[in-house]
Amino acid sequence: MTACCRRDLTMRQHDMVFHGYATWTGRTSLQVNIDLVASDVPDRDALQLSGSLVFVGVGRDGKGMPVNPLAPQTEKERRLCAEGEMAQARRKYRKRTCLATSAPSDAESDLLHRVMSEGSLRRGAVPMAETRMQSVHTMQPQERNYYGKIFGGFLMREAYEIALTAANAFATGAGGGRRGGCPTLVAMDDVTFNQPVNVGDVVSLVARVVYTGGNEVLLAPAGARETGLYQVRVDIGIINLGTGERSLSNTFHFTFLNRSPEAAKDGACLAVPVPPVMPSTYKEGMEWLGGRRRMLESLRFAESLGSFAAHPTLLPREPHLPVREFRAEAPIP
């Protein structure tokens, strides 16, 4: 699932309508786009939230079931189907280049080496380990879905809540004297449900700030604007109390914008800068690079939708590594 906020969701001020439509089909899977639209405002300002979900057809025997192909009839439908094909290409490319299973590019390796070794790039940085927050839950039957598993939406809500808590604590320094702010969700990146969670399972949710606009300022050419953007990663693990073993169920990626509390009340985009974070281990370094990839991609997605998060004063002027460089091998523009 991928989602991006176009602006603050002010539901008490507008009548909201959900639109859903299929945009891509494979042999056994399909992508459905969801738009949340304000029905009482001009079309150009109506879109409030945009997201996409990928479903897989599964038969009673647990094997994949074919889905009907799409047959676009209008120019708009053909455009949507083309966008669905591009989204599928991105998913395949991201899976192939995932830092959990593949080495970073030469440029990314050089970048991480600079960050870990040059003192100027560590100025004012917060160790990633200090941003960590964790919660543990026992899954209850009221959260199960039709198939007897824990509903993915419940896990998503729990992940968002701990991510927002970590974002707030990071913005304020948890009493450490930072300038504070009002974290606002900009985007939630792709979520893959790797392993189902059963009723009675004990799950742990671990949130960490893995990249910030403060890092981008240190990496960019002199004169780059400070930004209030930062990336929070949440891992949901299943704990086997009998053996002590842990298995990963889901990983969530959230992009937040740290806004001035007073400006946020009026919907303004006055960003409050956040400090950089610094990895200390190889694992943290991979999460740092992954957070950078996702934060810059989320910004481009927000920019394509005209999101409040893509305000020109918030985007890095000249990213040290362009987003396009991460997709050099992808069959998409």
Side-chain angles (χ1 to χ4, degrees):
M1 177 175 180
T2 303
C4 182
C5 299
R6 189 175 191 272
R7 54 175 50 80
D8 284 318
L9 300 183
T10 51
M11 294 192 181
R12 66 179 179 274
Q13 300 179 12
H14 302 291
D15 293 328
M16 296 292 180
V17 178
F18 269 113
H19 296 287
Y21 41 93
T23 58
W24 170 83
T25 58
R27 190 182 68 84
T28 60
S29 57
L30 73 156
Q31 174 177 301
V32 176
N33 283 17
I34 302 292
D35 292 334
L36 180 64
V37 177
S39 61
D40 54 348
V41 299
D43 287 346
R44 63 183 180 85
D45 296 322
L47 183 63
Q48 302 293 307
L49 178 74
S50 181
S52 61
L53 302 95
V54 177
F55 295 90
V56 177
V58 180
R60 294 182 182 275
D61 58 359
K63 297 181 179 179
M65 286 187 62
V67 298
N68 294 325
L70 289 177
Q73 303 296 315
T74 66
E75 185 61 34
K76 179 181 179 181
E77 290 177 351
R78 284 188 284 272
R79 176 177 57 81
L80 290 172
C81 286
E83 292 174 356
E85 292 284 353
M86 291 179 64
Q88 174 64 4
R90 291 190 186 97
R91 284 190 291 270
K92 288 183 176 180
Y93 180 72
R94 178 174 286 179
K95 182 177 181 179
R96 191 170 71 249
T97 59
C98 174
L99 291 171
T101 56
S102 302
S105 68
D106 290 344
E108 288 177 314
S109 296
D110 291 343
L111 177 62
L112 185 60
H113 175 74
R114 285 183 53 209
V115 169
M116 300 284 285
S117 60
E118 294 182 19
S120 62
L121 297 182
R122 304 174 69 91
R123 186 174 62 248
V126 178
M128 282 175 58
E130 293 184 8
T131 70
R132 187 178 188 272
M133 285 201 167
Q134 181 175 6
S135 63
V136 179
H137 306 267
T138 300
M139 297 295 99
Q140 303 296 331
Q142 65 266 28
E143 307 300 346
R144 68 183 184 273
N145 60 20
Y146 177 80
Y147 300 100
K149 307 296 184 181
I150 296 301
F151 182 52
F154 171 76
L155 298 175
M156 193 178 301
R157 186 189 72 186
E158 294 295 305
Y160 170 70
E161 287 182 355
I162 193 171
L164 182 61
T165 302
N168 270 297
F170 183 74
T172 61
R178 292 184 201 141
R179 282 174 278 186
C182 178
T184 302
L185 181 65
V186 171
M188 183 179 74
D189 209 342
D190 284 351
V191 178
T192 301
F193 293 89
N194 300 310
Q195 182 176 339
V197 178
N198 298 304
V199 174
D201 281 348
V202 176
V203 302
S204 68
L205 294 91
V206 179
R208 298 174 299 283
V209 178
V210 294
Y211 195 79
T212 79
N215 289 109
E216 198 63 29
V217 168
L218 291 179
L219 296 172
R225 299 180 180 92
E226 288 192 346
T227 74
L229 290 156
Y230 51 120
Q231 194 76 15
V232 179
R233 171 184 172 130
V234 178
D235 291 320
I236 296 185
I238 304 173
I239 304 173
N240 185 322
L241 295 182
T243 64
E245 294 180 350
R246 301 184 180 223
S247 55
L248 181 66
S249 175
N250 318 97
T251 299
F252 295 82
H253 305 272
F254 300 93
T255 305
F256 288 95
L257 168 63
N258 194 37
R259 304 166 74 186
S260 164
E262 294 303 317
K265 293 178 182 178
D266 301 323
C269 291
L270 181 59
V272 177
V274 290
V277 292
M278 185 57 55
S280 301
T281 65
Y282 184 81
K283 180 177 182 293
E284 289 183 352
M286 294 303 99
E287 292 179 356
W288 186 87
L289 287 175
R292 185 172 192 272
R293 288 185 184 184
R294 291 177 182 277
M295 193 181 84
L296 295 181
E297 289 186 3
S298 293
L299 277 172
R300 298 305 182 266
F301 184 33
E303 189 176 34
S304 71
L305 294 179
S307 169
F308 69 89
H311 192 280
T313 62
L314 306 178
L315 285 165
R317 280 181 183 167
E318 298 179 51
H320 185 80
L321 291 177
V323 175
R324 190 177 300 273
E325 186 162 338
F326 298 129
R327 299 174 178 165
E329 300 174 14
I332 56 177

